[in-house]
Amino acid sequence: MNDDEKFFFDLKGFLVLRNVLSDDTIARCNEAIDRHAETFFETDRRLEGESKTLGGSARQKWMEGMLEWERPWCEPFRELLVHERIAPLLAELVGSPRLDHGPLLIAMDKGDGGHALHGGAVERQDFSQTYDFKYGKMSCGLTTVEFQLADERPGDGGLAIVPGSHKSHFPTPRGVALYEELQEHVKEIHTEAGDAIIFTEAVTHGTLVWQGGHQRRSLIYKYNTGSQAHAAGYHRSEYPEYARDMTEKQRALFRPTGR
Amino acid sequence: MTEEEKYLFDLKGFLVLRDVVDADTIARANSAIDSHFDQIETHERQFEGGSQALASEVRQKWCDEMVTWGKPHGEPFRELMVQPLIKPYLAELLGSGYRIARQPRLIIMDRGCAGHYMHGGQVDRQGFEYTYRAKFGHIYCSHLLVEFPLADEGPGQGGLALIPGGHKANYPIPQSLRDYEAYQDEIVEVEVKAGDAVIFAEITIHGTMVWNGEHQRRTLLYGYNPGYQGGEEPLLKASYPEYVQDMTEEQRTMLRPPV
């Protein structure tokens, strides 16, 4: 991570990286997704919250489980776990990273609803999601890498970020979170297929209603430090034998990390 | 946790709580230790580092196995994991869903036993796994320690020593202070009786003075973490689904549990 990248990540809470994925990787991802189109699902959550501007005519389509697919379909998604352009950035921002959760594919067709803006330094205070800077070094908790599998051009909608909000000392105004006021402070991120965005979960971010004529496809990997887990993870956990005859409250202290 | 206690913990990095553990629990814990004493080994590590002031030929004895002792000998140590008077402090400082960071530790020191150099501080402990911050009126800790002395300590007998405010120290610990060879006036030798408890963050600069008491020092050290952080030692056995075993080592490393 060069000095310019450090400056701008600290300043804004995100970086846009151009031409990270090869055309071949994009094509293999998209073909694998097409082959598994029956696994698209719609989340039960109202991602737009109470927003009058982020609700759409339909909901986003999500897809998970790509790491479990049979070969060759899983392969491009596994390769992206450790990407040569991304790994140095993660090393700088989170140290020895582990995948906290993902990959998650978000697909949006024209008119699909957005996601209320969330994050912010006040709202993301605990170490698992925070942004910190000390002794000349950045430290992030949950850190998102979003690989674009389709273009997101000006006016298309999609990923939106409030630059600098990872260091905000005041709560996010409701009008900003709902994208109903102060919209000029919310930056729509313009990218092409193959680009990647890396951002701290502490920066306020969300998704604008998709206006593009083509399907939006964003592939999200969320990393954390080696010691932290925001989500349950990919492993199964087994209590040690001696914990089996503990009381429930005692055993609860041995609970797996994450939520 | 009262507002005064929050003020003092933020100010100094530790709290001494009186009469937390009843005499029966102390007696049962000591009796269990007596019954297992031949299994408790002398620790090989020279905890005094290069310090002349903390050095001795007499070594500390450590044991981390008490909660595995079963009934009845393991019971007092298991009960202390969820000590009712301590729980509100854990919830306040770590958040709900806190978990145990490692198996509880017993430290035994006989007269003349070597101490442990002073360690902690913001410079030594920069990662989220051992840190402290107060932000927007909330305290956030990771690796919070609760020390339950099973024997009286002090005055002048040695044992646990802390530097008030050391959890917020932004400059490296002077080597002479680390070695307890200068600035001794800055170090507080904590005076406690069996049944008291000391709560401190691992990042609070702390160490152990040479034990000068006629009686054997016995103290229990319980480490806790927020629910999203792994511990020093994985207490749970992790296993992976088959599709993870099929990944490259580099990919699989990304899916490891937090430690």
Side-chain angles (χ1 to χ4, degrees), chain B residues 91-117:
Chain B
E92 179 67 36
L93 299 171
L94 299 170
S96 60
Y98 56 83
R99 58 196 299 276
I100 203 148
R102 65 179 186 215
Q103 287 183 188
R105 174 165 296 158
L106 166 69
I107 299 174
I108 293 175
M109 297 170 74
D110 290 308
R111 182 173 173 80
C113 182
H116 192 310
Y117 63 83

Short mmCIF file of all heavy atoms in Angstrom, two decimals, chain B residues 91-117:
data_model
loop_
_atom_site.label_atom_id
_atom_site.label_comp_id
_atom_site.label_asym_id
_atom_site.label_seq_id
_atom_site.Cartn_x
_atom_site.Cartn_y
_atom_site.Cartn_z
N ALA B 91 -19.83 -6.91 31.76
CA ALA B 91 -20.83 -6.47 30.78
C ALA B 91 -20.59 -5.02 30.37
O ALA B 91 -20.72 -4.65 29.20
CB ALA B 91 -22.23 -6.64 31.34
N GLU B 92 -20.21 -4.19 31.33
CA GLU B 92 -19.98 -2.78 31.03
C GLU B 92 -18.71 -2.58 30.20
O GLU B 92 -18.69 -1.80 29.25
CB GLU B 92 -19.86 -1.98 32.34
CG GLU B 92 -19.60 -0.49 32.14
CD GLU B 92 -20.77 0.23 31.49
OE1 GLU B 92 -21.93 -0.14 31.79
OE2 GLU B 92 -20.53 1.14 30.66
N LEU B 93 -17.66 -3.29 30.56
CA LEU B 93 -16.36 -3.04 29.94
C LEU B 93 -16.15 -3.82 28.64
O LEU B 93 -15.34 -3.43 27.80
CB LEU B 93 -15.24 -3.37 30.93
CG LEU B 93 -15.25 -2.52 32.21
CD1 LEU B 93 -14.24 -3.07 33.22
CD2 LEU B 93 -14.95 -1.06 31.89
N LEU B 94 -16.88 -4.93 28.51
CA LEU B 94 -16.69 -5.78 27.32
C LEU B 94 -17.93 -5.87 26.45
O LEU B 94 -17.86 -6.35 25.32
CB LEU B 94 -16.31 -7.21 27.76
CG LEU B 94 -15.02 -7.33 28.56
CD1 LEU B 94 -14.89 -8.73 29.14
CD2 LEU B 94 -13.81 -7.01 27.68
N GLY B 95 -19.05 -5.45 26.98
CA GLY B 95 -20.31 -5.59 26.24
C GLY B 95 -20.95 -6.94 26.53
O GLY B 95 -20.30 -7.87 27.01
N SER B 96 -22.24 -7.02 26.25
CA SER B 96 -22.92 -8.29 26.49
C SER B 96 -22.36 -9.33 25.52
O SER B 96 -21.85 -9.00 24.46
CB SER B 96 -24.43 -8.12 26.26
OG SER B 96 -24.66 -7.71 24.93
N GLY B 97 -22.42 -10.57 25.92
CA GLY B 97 -21.87 -11.62 25.06
C GLY B 97 -20.38 -11.81 25.24
O GLY B 97 -19.73 -12.46 24.43
N TYR B 98 -19.84 -11.24 26.33
CA TYR B 98 -18.40 -11.44 26.58
C TYR B 98 -18.11 -12.93 26.76
O TYR B 98 -18.99 -13.71 27.08
CB TYR B 98 -17.95 -10.64 27.81
CG TYR B 98 -18.71 -10.93 29.07
CD1 TYR B 98 -18.38 -12.02 29.87
CD2 TYR B 98 -19.78 -10.13 29.47
CE1 TYR B 98 -19.08 -12.30 31.03
CE2 TYR B 98 -20.49 -10.40 30.62
CZ TYR B 98 -20.14 -11.49 31.40
OH TYR B 98 -20.84 -11.79 32.54
N ARG B 99 -16.86 -13.28 26.54
CA ARG B 99 -16.47 -14.68 26.62
C ARG B 99 -15.13 -14.81 27.32
O ARG B 99 -14.39 -13.82 27.45
CB ARG B 99 -16.43 -15.33 25.23
CG ARG B 99 -15.50 -14.63 24.26
CD ARG B 99 -15.76 -15.03 22.82
NE ARG B 99 -15.57 -16.45 22.61
CZ ARG B 99 -14.40 -17.02 22.38
NH1 ARG B 99 -13.30 -16.30 22.35
NH2 ARG B 99 -14.31 -18.31 22.19
N ILE B 100 -14.83 -16.01 27.73
CA ILE B 100 -13.56 -16.22 28.44
C ILE B 100 -12.44 -16.32 27.40
O ILE B 100 -12.61 -16.89 26.34
CB ILE B 100 -13.66 -17.45 29.36
CG1 ILE B 100 -12.64 -17.37 30.47
CG2 ILE B 100 -13.56 -18.75 28.59
CD1 ILE B 100 -13.11 -18.01 31.76
N ALA B 101 -11.32 -15.68 27.70
CA ALA B 101 -10.25 -15.58 26.70
C ALA B 101 -9.28 -16.77 26.77
O ALA B 101 -8.60 -17.06 25.79
CB ALA B 101 -9.47 -14.28 26.89
N ARG B 102 -9.22 -17.39 27.92
CA ARG B 102 -8.33 -18.53 28.09
C ARG B 102 -8.74 -19.23 29.37
O ARG B 102 -9.50 -18.69 30.16
CB ARG B 102 -6.87 -18.08 28.17
CG ARG B 102 -6.61 -17.24 29.41
CD ARG B 102 -5.17 -16.79 29.52
NE ARG B 102 -4.95 -16.12 30.78
CZ ARG B 102 -4.12 -15.10 30.95
NH1 ARG B 102 -3.44 -14.64 29.93
NH2 ARG B 102 -3.96 -14.55 32.13
N GLN B 103 -8.21 -20.41 29.58
CA GLN B 103 -8.55 -21.09 30.83
C GLN B 103 -7.98 -20.29 31.99
O GLN B 103 -6.87 -19.74 31.92
CB GLN B 103 -7.96 -22.51 30.81
CG GLN B 103 -8.72 -23.43 29.88
CD GLN B 103 -8.23 -24.87 29.89
OE1 GLN B 103 -8.67 -25.66 29.08
NE2 GLN B 103 -7.35 -25.19 30.80
N PRO B 104 -8.77 -20.20 33.08
CA PRO B 104 -8.28 -19.45 34.25
C PRO B 104 -6.91 -19.95 34.70
O PRO B 104 -6.61 -21.14 34.60
CB PRO B 104 -9.36 -19.73 35.30
CG PRO B 104 -10.59 -20.01 34.50
CD PRO B 104 -10.11 -20.74 33.28
N ARG B 105 -6.12 -19.01 35.20
CA ARG B 105 -4.73 -19.32 35.54
C ARG B 105 -4.49 -19.14 37.03
O ARG B 105 -4.96 -18.18 37.64
CB ARG B 105 -3.82 -18.39 34.76
CG ARG B 105 -2.34 -18.46 35.10
CD ARG B 105 -1.52 -17.79 34.03
NE ARG B 105 -1.66 -18.50 32.77
CZ ARG B 105 -1.42 -17.98 31.57
NH1 ARG B 105 -1.01 -16.72 31.47
NH2 ARG B 105 -1.56 -18.69 30.48
N LEU B 106 -3.76 -20.06 37.61
CA LEU B 106 -3.31 -19.96 39.00
C LEU B 106 -1.83 -19.62 38.99
O LEU B 106 -1.04 -20.25 38.28
CB LEU B 106 -3.53 -21.30 39.71
CG LEU B 106 -2.82 -21.47 41.06
CD1 LEU B 106 -3.44 -20.56 42.13
CD2 LEU B 106 -2.89 -22.94 41.51
N ILE B 107 -1.46 -18.62 39.76
CA ILE B 107 -0.04 -18.27 39.92
C ILE B 107 0.32 -18.45 41.38
O ILE B 107 -0.36 -17.92 42.28
CB ILE B 107 0.24 -16.82 39.48
CG1 ILE B 107 -0.11 -16.65 37.99
CG2 ILE B 107 1.69 -16.44 39.74
CD1 ILE B 107 0.00 -15.22 37.48
N ILE B 108 1.36 -19.22 41.61
CA ILE B 108 1.83 -19.50 42.97
C ILE B 108 3.26 -18.96 43.12
O ILE B 108 4.10 -19.18 42.23
CB ILE B 108 1.81 -21.03 43.26
CG1 ILE B 108 0.36 -21.53 43.28
CG2 ILE B 108 2.53 -21.36 44.56
CD1 ILE B 108 0.23 -23.03 43.42
N MET B 109 3.50 -18.26 44.20
CA MET B 109 4.84 -17.73 44.46
C MET B 109 5.20 -17.99 45.92
O MET B 109 4.44 -17.65 46.82
CB MET B 109 4.90 -16.22 44.18
CG MET B 109 4.63 -15.86 42.71
SD MET B 109 4.42 -14.07 42.43
CE MET B 109 6.12 -13.49 42.58
N ASP B 110 6.35 -18.60 46.13
CA ASP B 110 6.86 -18.78 47.48
C ASP B 110 7.81 -17.64 47.82
O ASP B 110 8.25 -16.90 46.93
CB ASP B 110 7.58 -20.14 47.58
CG ASP B 110 6.59 -21.29 47.51
OD1 ASP B 110 5.62 -21.27 48.29
OD2 ASP B 110 6.77 -22.19 46.66
N ARG B 111 8.15 -17.53 49.08
CA ARG B 111 8.99 -16.42 49.55
C ARG B 111 10.26 -16.31 48.70
O ARG B 111 10.95 -17.31 48.46
CB ARG B 111 9.35 -16.60 51.01
CG ARG B 111 10.17 -15.46 51.59
CD ARG B 111 10.36 -15.61 53.09
NE ARG B 111 11.27 -14.61 53.61
CZ ARG B 111 10.94 -13.35 53.88
NH1 ARG B 111 9.71 -12.95 53.67
NH2 ARG B 111 11.83 -12.50 54.34
N GLY B 112 10.53 -15.11 48.21
CA GLY B 112 11.72 -14.86 47.40
C GLY B 112 11.52 -15.11 45.92
O GLY B 112 12.45 -14.92 45.13
N CYS B 113 10.33 -15.52 45.56
CA CYS B 113 10.07 -15.88 44.15
C CYS B 113 10.25 -14.67 43.23
O CYS B 113 9.88 -13.54 43.57
CB CYS B 113 8.66 -16.44 44.02
SG CYS B 113 8.24 -16.96 42.34
N ALA B 114 10.78 -14.93 42.04
CA ALA B 114 11.02 -13.88 41.04
C ALA B 114 9.72 -13.24 40.58
O ALA B 114 8.66 -13.88 40.56
CB ALA B 114 11.75 -14.47 39.83
N GLY B 115 9.82 -11.97 40.19
CA GLY B 115 8.65 -11.24 39.70
C GLY B 115 8.52 -11.32 38.20
O GLY B 115 9.09 -12.20 37.54
N HIS B 116 7.77 -10.40 37.67
CA HIS B 116 7.50 -10.32 36.23
C HIS B 116 7.70 -8.86 35.83
O HIS B 116 7.15 -7.96 36.47
CB HIS B 116 6.06 -10.77 35.96
CG HIS B 116 5.74 -11.01 34.50
ND1 HIS B 116 6.03 -10.10 33.51
CD2 HIS B 116 5.16 -12.06 33.87
CE1 HIS B 116 5.64 -10.58 32.33
NE2 HIS B 116 5.11 -11.77 32.52
N TYR B 117 8.47 -8.64 34.78
CA TYR B 117 8.73 -7.25 34.35
C TYR B 117 7.42 -6.56 33.99
O TYR B 117 6.43 -7.18 33.65
CB TYR B 117 9.72 -7.21 33.19
CG TYR B 117 9.24 -7.89 31.93
CD1 TYR B 117 8.43 -7.22 31.02
CD2 TYR B 117 9.62 -9.20 31.63
CE1 TYR B 117 7.98 -7.82 29.88
CE2 TYR B 117 9.18 -9.82 30.48
CZ TYR B 117 8.36 -9.13 29.61
OH TYR B 117 7.90 -9.74 28.48
#
